């Protein structure tokens, strides 16, 4: 199949075929690589209100010295879904010296739910008998630190709370 001048046209055709097959192979290799790169670059983790200020209610709802339990809701978004109004957590809100304070309902010891005992005027963890004063200080039990205080924001008569989760069982507050 070579032409009369030493096979040069065959070498040219082979070069074009090699380039074509190489390009085809590269295209086929890109088929699984493109989605893989998209998977690695696209944030598939949950995005929601955690770490953001979430609406907690009107300022007037927190007047008085009795703590009020507030459920914090936000839209939860992940890579494929958006779920509206999902409960992300809850907190205790109370007024002390004219300012609002918010505490996580999660016990710093092992993560049990902390309740308020109106008779004793204390926050209590039913799991391991930790007790906390209204300022969050540890009064009894194995809790390694006070209740986790959360940031409160007041604007136009509305209250918002920054929901942050902290590591349990350690003496210092470490966000997780």
């Amino acid at each position: 199949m070579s032409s009369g001048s030493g096979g040069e046209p065959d070498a040219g055709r082979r070069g074009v075929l090699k380039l074509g097959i190489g390009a085809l192979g590269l295209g086929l290799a890109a088929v699984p690589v493109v989605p893989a790169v998209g998977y690695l670059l696209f944030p598939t983790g949950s995005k929601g209100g955690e770490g953001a200020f979430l609406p907690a209610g009107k300022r007037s709802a927190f007047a008085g010295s009795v703590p009020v339990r507030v459920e914090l809701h936000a839209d939860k978004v992940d890579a494929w879904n958006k779920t509206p109004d999902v409960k992300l957590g809850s907190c205790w809100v109370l007024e002390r010296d004219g300012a609002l304070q918010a505490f996580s309902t999660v016990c710093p010891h092992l993560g049990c739910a902390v309740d308020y005992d109106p008779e004793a005027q204390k926050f209590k963890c039913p799991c391991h008998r930790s007790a906390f004063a209204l300022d969050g200080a540890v009064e009894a039990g194995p809790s390694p630190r006070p209740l986790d205080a959360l940031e409160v924001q007041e604007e136009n008569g509305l209250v918002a709370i920054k929901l942050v989760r902290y590591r349990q069982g350690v003496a210092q507050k470490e966000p997780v």
Side-chain angles (χ1 to χ4, degrees), residues 10-81:
D10 282 342
R13 275 187 260 173
R14 283 190 197 127
V16 169
L17 280 174
K18 284 182 182 179
L19 282 175
I21 291 173
L24 182 64
L26 188 63
L28 289 173
V31 169
V33 170
V34 169
V37 168
Y39 172 78
L40 292 173
L41 296 178
F42 191 75
T44 58
S46 172
K47 291 182 204 168
E50 197 155 326
F53 281 95
L54 304 173
K58 293 183 178 181
R59 173 65 170 91
S60 58
F62 306 111
S65 60
V66 177
V68 177
R69 186 182 177 110
V70 176
E71 293 185 352
L72 300 172
H73 295 260
D75 293 346
K76 192 164 188 167
V77 180
D78 64 22
W80 298 276
N81 301 306

Side-chain angles (χ1 to χ4, degrees), residues 65-128:
S65 60
V66 177
V68 177
R69 186 182 177 110
V70 176
E71 293 185 352
L72 300 172
H73 295 260
D75 293 346
K76 192 164 188 167
V77 180
D78 64 22
W80 298 276
N81 301 306
K82 179 179 181 182
T83 309
D85 201 32
V86 174
K87 179 183 173 188
L88 299 178
S90 54
C91 64
W92 289 105
V93 181
L94 71 149
E95 184 177 32
R96 292 179 50 89
D97 301 325
L100 290 182
Q101 286 186 312
F103 297 104
S104 173
T105 58
V106 177
C107 181
H109 178 230
L110 291 178
C112 300
V114 174
D115 290 321
Y116 176 68
D117 181 354
E119 290 178 17
Q121 293 187 353
K122 295 179 183 184
F123 296 106
K124 291 188 174 181
C125 177
C127 299
H128 301 101

